[in-house]
Structures are given as structure tokens and as C-alpha cells.
Amino acid sequence: MTLRPLAALFASMLVLPAFAQDNGAVAANIDAMYAKLDAIYKDLHAHPELAFQEVRTAGKLAAEMRAIGFEVTEKVGKTGIVAIYKNGPGPTVLVRTEMDGLPMEEKSGFDYSSKAHAQLDGKDTMVAHSCGHDVHMTAWLATARTLVALKSRWKGTLMFIGQPAEEIVSGAKAMINDGLFTRFGKPDYAFALHSWPHAYGTIGYNSGPVSSNSDAIEITFKGRGGHGSAPDKAVDPVMIAARFVVDVQTVISREKDPKEFGVVTIGAINGGSVGNIIPDSVKVRGTIRSYTPQVREKILAGVRRTAIASAAMADAPAPEVELIPGGAAIINDEKLVARTEGVLKQAFGDDKVWRMPAMTASEDFSQFANAGIPAMFFFTGVYSPEAVAEAEKPGGKPIAFNHSPYYAPVPEPSIKTAARAMTLAVINVMAK
């Protein structure tokens, strides 16, 4: 055996016991505080708030972080919070949670299910944490508390972000525009996690893209109203919209490289009042998802061209086409992923930690990664292994996905796993 392998072996013998101590201490701290975490989780779950309305939620998180010892600034990006903890010289690490709920009724049936209402666009709506943001916030608090308890094991500055309005992919940008990095400094690393309908105790991640670009479609097709019995005396925008909805899919099936991800979905068609009147206009709303800038641009151009052509075929006025940029894809940093991967595998086991394909949903954590910060976004499971295994069988009982009214994370051990994974990831880049 040569000297170099001997040296490497000796180094690993030193590192592994140190990691084992960190891992054991992290798990023990989280276990000890879990009763408090469970109460916080159920309170957050029962009191969700919509994007940029997270006043109660932000106040609760701010109070908890101050009690831990963080310096907290509220109302960053309207309802966001920034919590800073300095522990000597070293890297600055951003850990983000999102705070907003969804405008929908919860149907999970828990005794702590949300009954909350809010105003959205002047209308009353029920609100629910059907995307797991309550899990994220609770794990975020547990991570902060554990890191402070173990501050002898790391050096640097913690920047814990409570971000508003993730569900409308606007909160991260609002915080950055409000001087997040100029007021509090630009971090050296950034982490975030997301609950996912996998088995609890498992962790998924990838390097490169882990979420999609998103763009909104808002198109108004114009016509000339008339009587339904005499369509020749009118220009029918319903037919133009219908043609567009069908034809736009050829952009995906015939123009996009079939090996690349890209989706166009039309979710709303609004126009008309009764069955025997041809309306003057019809509005079409939809969403575009993609991973790469090249595919994104191809789809955007194709959607615009198809809308204009659909109107031209009916000799109708040109439509009003708005293609509204949303969130960009999150691109995980390859080196940071590789560095964190080893720690997670040691802590949870190779069978519980794996690389997974990018999700097709969008997330504005990308705003932080795109600011030139090495970032890692990962996923933690929330359902029992038995329920997940049953759902994977042919004809098995399905489990509810994020944004379902039946989405029902199992709090323990889901919160413990998320907090433990995040804490170890942070210590790994800040260790003395």
C-alpha cells in the first residue's frame, strides 16, 4: 500500500467519528424539541395565509427566531423576514423557507385542518397549506435552534430567510428588490428543501435543473359579436380560441426536441354569457413549463405565432398576446450537491438518499441561485413507506400530490428528517 492511500485512510478515520458525533448530536437535539415543533406545525397548518398576506405567520416565525438568539428584520419584500446569527469568521449560509398557503379548501380531515378564509381579488376564499410550507417552516425553525445549540461545531453567519409569496413566484424577487443582499450581505451558499409525496425518512435531489421555468399565457382573441343562429354575420372568437387550444400543442409535438422537457397547458377559457350569443372576445389563460432557456424561447415564440395565426385564419383582428415570465428553473450547484450528498448518505443510508429527476413545477428559490450563489434545493418525503409502496402497485390506492386538497404529510418523522438533513447540510459547509 502506498503512502497516499494510507494518508487518505487515516484522514477518513478522523472525519467519520467527527461526523458521527455531529449526526448524533443533531438527531438528539431535534428529538428533544419535537413536542414544541409539533405544536408549532399544527398551529401553522391551521392558520395559513395567502401570498403577501403572511402577517401572522411572519410574526410567529420572527418571534421564534428572536427567542433562539437571531437578529430579525421584518417586512423585507413586504412580508418577508431575515434572521441573522453571527458565530465568528466563516461563510455566510442562506437557509430559506416559504410562508404562504394556497387559495383552496383543505379536505385532509385532520383535527388541526385549516378553516381559514382570506380575500383574493376581492372575493372570499378558503386557504390551506396544501404544498407543505408548514412542514418547511417548522423544519426551518428546528434547524435554526439546533445550529445555535451546536454552535461550537461551526463558524460563520447564518442568514435564515422567511420568504413570502412563493406560490405566485414573486416573493424571492420582492426580497431581493428590497435590498436583501445589499442590506444583509450576499451569502456564500444557499439551501432550501421541499416536502414531496415520497416515503418519510427519504431525501431526493439532483445536480443541474431541479425545477422548471414557468411562463403565464394571457391571450384575448377578438371577434365580432352576433346571434348564434347567424354565425356568418359575426366573427366567432370562441372558434378562434378553440383552434388555438388544439393547434398550440403542435409546438410541443412537432417543434420541440422530443428529448427535451416542455409543456403548454391551457387552464381557463373565459368568454360569452349565454348559448345563443357569439361574444366579442374570449380570454385564454395557461402556463408554459420548460427546463432550458432554448426550449423556453422556442415555446414562447411558437405560442405567440400560433395565436396570431389562429386569428388570421378567421380574418379576425390580431389578438392581444401576453406571455408573462414567472419563475426560472432552479439549477443546483454540482460541487455543492456532491459535497452534501456524501453527508446525507452517511446520515440516512444509501437506500434513503437518491438522485431524482427534476420536478416539472416551478419555484422562485431560483432567484437566489441565479444571483450567483452556489445553491442546493432538495426534497424530503412525507408519507408512510407502506402508503407509498401501495400507491406504486398497479391499481394501488394513490397518494395525494402537492396542491391536492387531500395532501396530508405525516408530521413525525417528516419534520425530523427535514430538519436533520438541513442542519447537517449547513454544518457541512461551515464546520470548523
Side-chain angles (χ1 to χ4, degrees):
M1 184 177 289
T2 64
L3 181 60
R4 180 168 295 180
L6 279 172
L9 177 62
F10 180 69
S12 69
M13 290 173 65
L14 292 176
V15 171
L16 287 175
F19 170 78
Q21 290 175 4
D22 287 343
N23 186 31
V26 168
N29 269 272
I30 294 169
D31 285 344
M33 71 176 78
Y34 187 74
K36 179 177 176 63
L37 296 176
D38 186 71
I40 290 171
Y41 168 75
K42 290 176 180 176
D43 180 74
L44 291 169
H45 186 94
H47 299 94
E49 295 171 296
L50 293 179
F52 292 125
Q53 299 180 28
E54 310 97 333
V55 177
R56 180 188 188 276
T57 304
K60 185 177 183 66
L61 296 189
E64 292 288 340
M65 293 298 276
R66 288 192 179 101
I68 296 169
F70 282 73
E71 295 181 10
V72 180
T73 303
E74 299 182 67
K75 299 181 180 179
V76 181
K78 194 170 183 179
T79 49
I81 68 171
V82 179
I84 302 293
Y85 190 94
K86 296 181 179 180
N87 189 34
T92 297
V93 179
L94 183 154
V95 180
R96 187 219 67 172
T97 187
E98 64 279 70
M99 303 188 296
D100 54 328
L102 288 159
M104 61 188 296
E105 179 183 2
E106 179 179 354
K107 299 180 181 180
S108 63
F110 293 129
D111 57 2
Y112 54 88
S113 291
S114 170
K115 303 295 190 295
H117 287 253
Q119 290 291 307
L120 180 63
D121 297 330
K123 297 180 181 178
D124 179 80
T125 180
M126 296 194 75
V127 189
H129 270 307
S130 298
C131 199
H133 294 185
D134 46 354
V135 174
H136 311 166
M137 287 185 280
T138 309
W140 182 83
L141 289 170
T143 298
R145 186 177 293 276
T146 304
L147 285 168
V148 171
L150 301 178
K151 63 182 180 181
S152 63
R153 300 169 187 263
W154 57 271
K155 287 290 185 182
T157 299
L158 302 175
M159 178 188 288
F160 273 55
I161 302 296
Q163 181 206 306
E166 185 280 324
E167 294 294 359
I168 60 172
V169 290
S170 300
K173 185 176 181 181
M175 295 190 79
I176 292 171
N177 289 345
D178 198 17
L180 176 63
F181 298 141
T182 56
R183 294 165 63 185
F184 303 99
K186 192 171 182 179
D188 299 287
Y189 302 99
F191 290 99
L193 60 78
H194 207 292
S195 67
W196 207 244
H198 288 164
Y200 50 60
T202 64
I203 300 166
Y205 57 94
N206 209 345
S207 60
V210 291
S211 70
S212 73
N213 303 305
S214 70
D215 298 282
I217 299 170
E218 299 271 352
I219 302 174
T220 301
F221 290 104
K222 302 174 183 179
R224 186 172 65 251
H227 199 288
S229 67
D232 59 308
K233 305 298 191 298
V235 176
D236 190 348
V238 176
M239 288 295 295
I240 298 169
R243 179 183 295 115
F244 166 78
V245 171
V246 174
D247 287 352
V248 75
Q249 294 304 324
T250 63
V251 175
I252 301 300
S253 66
R254 289 296 178 268
E255 297 184 36
K256 179 189 64 65
D257 184 338
K259 298 187 296 297
E260 298 284 352
F261 168 70
V263 168
V264 175
T265 296
I266 303 302
I269 303 177
N270 304 111
S273 54
V274 295
N276 65 346
I277 298 175
I278 296 171
D280 283 327
S281 65
V282 169
K283 189 157 190 174
V284 171
R285 295 182 173 92
T287 186
I288 302 169
R289 305 296 170 118
S290 59
Y291 291 149
T292 69
Q294 295 80 7
V295 171
R296 186 182 201 177
E297 290 305 315
K298 181 176 283 292
I299 297 176
L300 288 169
V303 168
R304 184 179 298 278
R305 187 181 65 249
T306 304
I308 293 170
S310 298
M313 288 177 66
D315 197 23
E320 296 176 2
V321 181
E322 290 185 86
L323 301 177
I324 306 164
I330 299 170
I331 308 297
N332 271 357
D333 181 78
E334 184 176 348
K335 291 181 180 179
L336 183 58
V337 168
R339 181 173 180 174
T340 308
E341 181 176 45
V343 170
L344 296 179
K345 284 183 176 291
Q346 286 183 65
F348 296 95
D350 290 353
D351 61 328
K352 300 291 179 61
V353 179
W354 61 77
R355 297 200 176 201
M356 57 182 277
M359 67 174 178
T360 54
S362 301
E363 236 279 5
D364 66 352
F365 180 70
S366 57
Q367 290 283 337
F368 304 119
N370 291 348
I373 303 166
M376 182 175 176
F377 185 91
F378 59 92
F379 302 86
T380 56
V382 294
Y383 285 127
S384 74
E386 295 78 14
V388 174
E390 170 64 22
E392 292 173 348
K393 296 178 182 177
K397 181 181 178 181
I399 52 178
F401 201 79
N402 303 61
H403 287 220
S404 164
Y406 300 99
Y407 188 62
V410 180
E412 186 181 11
S414 301
I415 292 168
K416 289 182 176 181
T417 298
R420 185 174 157 210
M422 184 61 80
T423 304
L424 290 170
V426 173
I427 289 177
N428 186 47
V429 297
M430 302 183 81
K432 288 184 176 179

